Amino acid sequence: MRRYLHVERAAAVGAALAALTMVLPAAGAGADPDPASPALITPFQLVEDRDVDDRLSQPEDRYALAGGCYTMQRPDGQWLSRDGNRVTLTDDADAATPLHLQATRLGRYLLATNEGPDTAYEDGWWDVRGYVTAPTDFVAGAIPGAAAIATEPSPQGDWEIVATGDDPDRKVEVEAGETQSYHVRLPESDGGYALGEFAFHHVADDDLTDDDPNGSGCANWPEISTDTVGEPAPNPDGPAAAVQGFFEAHVHGMAFEFLGGEVRCGRPWHPYGVEYALVDCEDHEPGGHGAVLEIVVSGGDPVAGHDTVGWPTFGYWPRHDSLTHEQFYYRWLERAHLGGLRLMTNLLVDNTALCQAYPHKRNSCNEMDGVRLQALRLFELQDYIDAQSGGPGEGWLRIVTSPTQARETINAGRLAVVLGIEVSVPFDCGEIFDVPQCTEAEIDQRLDEVYDMGVRQMELINKFDNALSGVTGDGGATGIVVNTGNRWVTGHWWDMQACEEDEGHVHHEHDKTQINFEDDFPDGGQDEIDVLAGAIIDQFAPTKGFVAPAYPAAPHCNTRGLSELGRHLVTRMVEKGMILDPDHMSASGIRGALDLIEHELIPAEQDAAAAEDRPAIQPAVVSSHSWANDVAYQRIYQLDGHVAPRTDDAAGFTDRWERHRDWADANAPEGHFFGLGYGADTNGFGGQPSPRDDPAEPVDYAGGWEAPVGGVRVLQHTSGLRTYDINTDGVAHYGLFADWFHELRLAADERHADRRGAEAIMADMLNGSESYLRMWERAVYGGGECVTDNSTLQHEDIHAALGGNVEGFLTAIGQPVDRDGAAYIYCVEGADGPEAVEVRFDASGRAATVAPSDRSVPELEATASLAGAAHVHVAGEVAGHAGALPATGGGLAPLALLLFGLTGLGAHALGRP
């Protein structure tokens, strides 16, 4: 059951507090995340960030060393120096070797020397480095003179640095003159090799002497710049306020590990830096001629091949239409964040059949193994960014497991990342000849596992039919090939039949159109979006003898819909407050899932909430990248959900914005808070936005522009030695979404001036994050309605919850009817009827005051969400009520206050809602 959401859970408070005492010491001691449940062992932290470039004479702790230039001194006064390729000691401070400390992870560093300018590339501005490295035949306790200077980084030179004494993270008051020594060692080596005990002294540029043995001090470290000026300003209304920022609903940041780990070339980061992260695949050599998959999916030339050099020249890749090369390097992501991105859903993605078909692999082909590995990798990326930023919780990216964590992160000016899943066989729930390969009990156990892993959003299906639902399929020529994969995996073809006219959905509610003898396909097919899957099956799978069936005329509907196992999973997800993404389900499957939510789960929950005097939970539904149908999108708006259309060139996306705005206006409940996200599917199966065709006003890079939120100035981007221009390159890598956000303004003014153009599309897209968070809040905490019937919220409930943090307050009271800056506005029952009050949160995120609101009750009633409406969009008789959703809200204020408020504990410490 969902945490903290039922009156009968009073006994769970002690267990939760006991669990807290077990979780925090392991994390505080620096334990590596458990691959099975990284979110449990890596608690949410949001530390006020410091500028690690603002160097003190000595580091205040071991994390402040990141990226700095330091000399090292032993307690006996001797300094670390070098003699050729050997490490030695000297009494002469002027002969100490300045070292660049490059963080490889939290508390781990490469000690890099300066070997002079790198002349391999014209205009290169970085230096060649040497690396202080233990000898391969070291002896435990060997003197520092046994170390050497190696030409390449390696595990033998990946040093752990911890403060001497009982606290490895001890901070010192540098201004008060304290000195801190650090152990420098290799913890993972068999002999426990230690370089020794040292103090670190910062070397400023003007401290370097003319006789410095390296001539130019510390090495310039190669890295990609964000080409921005400034840092995002925190929200002045505090951590509890409404948020502003772009919302990315569908990205595959860790897909370098999917399909066996060898399909994609490069990775989002590497402990040793950009030179090791952005490299081509080994099988693309020589000269791109071996890149069979790249040639097929990206239109490459098998004769000419392609330039395989990534960093620093990027002659061929990344490109907006290259599907096998990394586009999500962490500095590119940071540029998008600085350009206004504030919320992102990272889908953990894999496909057993495609992995088995592809001949090169290093990882398990089990999809749930892929989910576990990629979740771990995302937490490792968070740690890596923290390491570059000054310590745990200091980085600009935070993985969040509750809407309040996301809200606090965004209002601090950082990027909140939600974990999701998109696989073909979630929980190993495949089917063979329609025989399920899982049970309800197995679904329950595996859902609990991924929830503890941090996952909060899920698709039920991807490329092939499974035991949960039928699939919408791929269209056109790609569909023929992927359908053979379905036959290979399940033993049967897609059962695509002509949609029945009496369903009333012939022209809108259907699946991907298959090539047939009745319809004309002048371009050889349609809807060819996920071409990578088709290419792998076509090139490598043992399906050459398969002949797809002849389908009737379109529109096509898969006869396989939502199964009983699928109904069970959807119900369990709703109980946990998770977000359902119906993309890739068949039209019948989507209809079944939305019917279940609308006709059964919502009415049952509203009846239970009314009986228990609490706000009702509202299930959360999002379509993340345009793999549903037009009817489904409109029904999602009816359910107060969120739809994030697939990205396109800027002009095409503005047309999608207009269409979705109209759908929301026509279908969403009164008071729906509209915001538009986007689904880029980066690193997945599809390309990225191309350049606009013949724009009236191209993006002008002269002087750059100010990001629409945060106050950062965005300039034209250069990666290594390659400068990008969205007018000609499109979104070649994720960093150019900062340019695409700006380009949307130009395209909207050009195409939709009658809809207020740039002003309107920016307002809606900057509300994308808030729209998603409000939907998520309703799924976790309930509420959002204006109660006028003496049934729920009383003044004493509000007052009892004062002093609690945002998580605790919302758990006790439910989502507000509306927000105004730092104020949450509620309807409460007064002496003479319903009254409007506002609760204000202080700068620390605690509920501080309650006072009458200047908003009228009738005005707030019009702002009510679907959770408070009387099934206004439910058609027909309710087929039967499922069990009521877990209760929340009214009556729980004292419990929430105990667990979340005055104790200062709660979900932020536990790392989960």
Side-chain angles (χ1 to χ4, degrees), residues 280-292:
D280 214 328
C281 295
E282 291 183 5
D283 64 300
H284 283 203
E285 299 294 355
H289 297 288
V292 175

Side-chain angles (χ1 to χ4, degrees), residues 478-656:
T478 298
I480 294 177
V481 180
V482 178
N483 198 1
T484 66
N486 197 84
R487 166 72 169 75
W488 175 36
V489 170
T490 68
H492 58 74
W493 303 96
W494 295 328
D495 191 14
M496 296 287 186
Q497 301 298 322
C499 301
E500 297 182 18
E501 292 189 23
D502 60 2
E503 292 182 358
H505 304 299
V506 173
H507 300 295
H508 303 287
E509 190 176 18
H510 56 78
D511 294 311
K512 301 301 184 201
T513 300
Q514 305 304 300
I515 291 179
N516 59 80
F517 296 117
E518 303 288 337
D519 297 305
D520 184 23
F521 292 89
D523 298 322
Q526 60 184 23
D527 298 328
E528 295 193 43
I529 299 175
D530 287 356
V531 296
L532 183 59
I536 292 176
I537 295 169
D538 185 52
Q539 293 293 316
F540 305 110
T543 58
K544 298 298 183 183
F546 293 0
V547 179
Y551 288 109
H556 293 140
C557 286
N558 190 343
T559 62
R560 289 176 173 84
L562 186 71
S563 70
E564 286 302 314
L565 289 172
R567 285 173 56 88
H568 178 78
L569 176 56
V570 171
T571 302
R572 286 301 318 280
M573 287 177 62
V574 170
E575 288 174 357
K576 285 179 168 291
M578 297 177 72
I579 300 159
L580 171 67
D581 182 349
D583 279 10
H584 289 290
M585 294 173 70
S586 65
S588 175
I590 294 175
R591 186 164 61 250
L594 299 184
D595 283 350
L596 171 65
I597 289 172
E598 187 174 28
H599 298 321
E600 298 184 42
L601 300 184
I602 287 178
E605 163 62 2
Q606 290 180 337
D607 290 347
E612 297 168 11
D613 290 338
R614 59 172 177 81
I617 297 298
Q618 169 68 25
V621 184
V622 62
S623 170
S624 65
H625 69 324
S626 299
W627 269 93
N629 58 69
D630 292 356
V631 172
Y633 304 140
Q634 294 174 75
R635 289 193 67 185
I636 290 171
Y637 283 125
Q638 289 177 353
L639 290 168
D640 227 354
H642 187 103
V643 182
R646 180 73 157 84
T647 50
D648 197 349
D649 70 79
F653 190 83
T654 64
D655 295 343
R656 297 182 184 189

Side-chain angles (χ1 to χ4, degrees), residues 570-857:
V570 171
T571 302
R572 286 301 318 280
M573 287 177 62
V574 170
E575 288 174 357
K576 285 179 168 291
M578 297 177 72
I579 300 159
L580 171 67
D581 182 349
D583 279 10
H584 289 290
M585 294 173 70
S586 65
S588 175
I590 294 175
R591 186 164 61 250
L594 299 184
D595 283 350
L596 171 65
I597 289 172
E598 187 174 28
H599 298 321
E600 298 184 42
L601 300 184
I602 287 178
E605 163 62 2
Q606 290 180 337
D607 290 347
E612 297 168 11
D613 290 338
R614 59 172 177 81
I617 297 298
Q618 169 68 25
V621 184
V622 62
S623 170
S624 65
H625 69 324
S626 299
W627 269 93
N629 58 69
D630 292 356
V631 172
Y633 304 140
Q634 294 174 75
R635 289 193 67 185
I636 290 171
Y637 283 125
Q638 289 177 353
L639 290 168
D640 227 354
H642 187 103
V643 182
R646 180 73 157 84
T647 50
D648 197 349
D649 70 79
F653 190 83
T654 64
D655 295 343
R656 297 182 184 189
W657 158 69
E658 180 182 50
R659 182 162 59 252
H660 281 273
R661 188 28 135 160
D662 288 344
W663 280 340
D665 289 345
N667 292 281
E670 189 173 12
H672 170 78
F673 185 88
F674 180 77
L676 190 71
Y678 64 93
D681 208 8
T682 308
N683 277 15
F685 292 111
Q688 299 305 292
S690 61
R692 282 184 294 159
D693 291 332
D694 193 26
E697 183 181 356
V699 172
D700 182 2
Y701 285 102
W705 59 87
E706 185 172 308
V709 61
V712 174
R713 189 148 201 87
V714 180
L715 307 174
Q716 188 167 12
H717 178 64
T718 297
S719 283
L721 303 177
R722 167 77 185 276
T723 298
Y724 290 90
D725 185 335
I726 197 170
N727 299 302
T728 55
D729 295 314
V731 181
H733 60 67
Y734 207 89
L736 294 175
F737 272 107
D739 307 51
W740 186 77
F741 299 150
H742 181 66
E743 190 182 27
L744 288 174
R745 302 173 58 91
L746 306 176
D749 275 343
E750 181 179 336
R751 299 172 71 88
H752 302 288
D754 60 320
R755 304 287 292 261
R756 295 186 299 114
E759 178 186 1
I761 194 172
M762 283 296 102
D764 284 345
M765 292 197 68
L766 290 173
N767 282 334
S769 294
E770 179 66 22
S771 170
Y772 182 89
L773 293 187
R774 291 192 184 191
M775 175 192 69
W776 192 7
E777 282 180 347
R778 290 190 292 272
V780 175
Y781 311 116
E785 72 269 31
C786 187
V787 177
T788 60
D789 61 358
N790 296 307
S791 63
T792 304
L793 197 57
Q794 309 294 322
H795 276 282
E796 53 266 31
D797 295 320
I798 296 281
H799 285 277
L802 292 180
N805 61 22
V806 182
E807 187 95 42
F809 190 88
L810 288 176
T811 299
I813 305 301
Q815 185 186 53
V817 179
D818 204 359
R819 287 178 168 87
D820 182 9
Y824 286 16
I825 302 172
Y826 290 91
C827 283
V828 299
E829 193 62 31
D832 299 319
E835 301 171 350
V837 299
E838 63 178 39
V839 177
R840 290 199 171 269
F841 291 77
D842 61 23
S844 69
R846 300 274 175 181
T849 62
V850 57
S853 172
D854 58 5
R855 302 282 293 275
S856 68
V857 169

Side-chain angles (χ1 to χ4, degrees), residues 142-158:
I143 62 171
I149 306 297
T151 58
E152 298 288 340
S154 72
Q156 296 296 97
D158 191 352

Side-chain angles (χ1 to χ4, degrees), residues 332-386:
W332 294 333
L333 175 60
E334 184 178 8
R335 174 178 166 85
H337 159 60
L338 294 170
L341 180 66
R342 292 295 182 270
L343 180 64
M344 168 178 288
T345 299
N346 181 91
L347 281 298
L348 311 170
V349 60
D350 224 321
N351 187 291
T352 295
L354 301 183
C355 174
Q356 291 174 341
Y358 195 66
H360 309 288
K361 57 184 69 71
R362 55 181 166 80
N363 296 333
S364 165
C365 284
N366 179 273
E367 293 177 11
M368 295 311 295
D369 285 345
V371 165
R372 296 178 186 102
L373 178 61
Q374 291 173 46
L376 176 63
R377 291 289 180 260
L378 191 59
F379 277 90
E380 289 175 347
L381 174 59
Q382 176 180 264
D383 285 350
Y384 181 79
I385 292 171
D386 278 357

Side-chain angles (χ1 to χ4, degrees), residues 68-119:
C69 182
Y70 294 90
T71 54
M72 298 170 60
Q73 184 182 28
R74 283 167 53 103
D76 62 7
Q78 289 190 305
W79 299 82
L80 193 72
S81 186
R82 65 181 295 182
D83 180 7
N85 287 329
R86 293 179 60 249
V87 173
T88 186
L89 298 170
T90 179
D91 293 324
D92 183 2
D94 290 337
T97 299
L99 297 168
H100 174 93
L101 271 75
Q102 182 64 27
T104 61
R105 67 196 79 179
L106 283 167
R108 300 280 287 274
Y109 294 91
L110 301 175
L111 309 180
T113 64
N114 186 349
E115 306 299 312
D118 188 340
T119 59

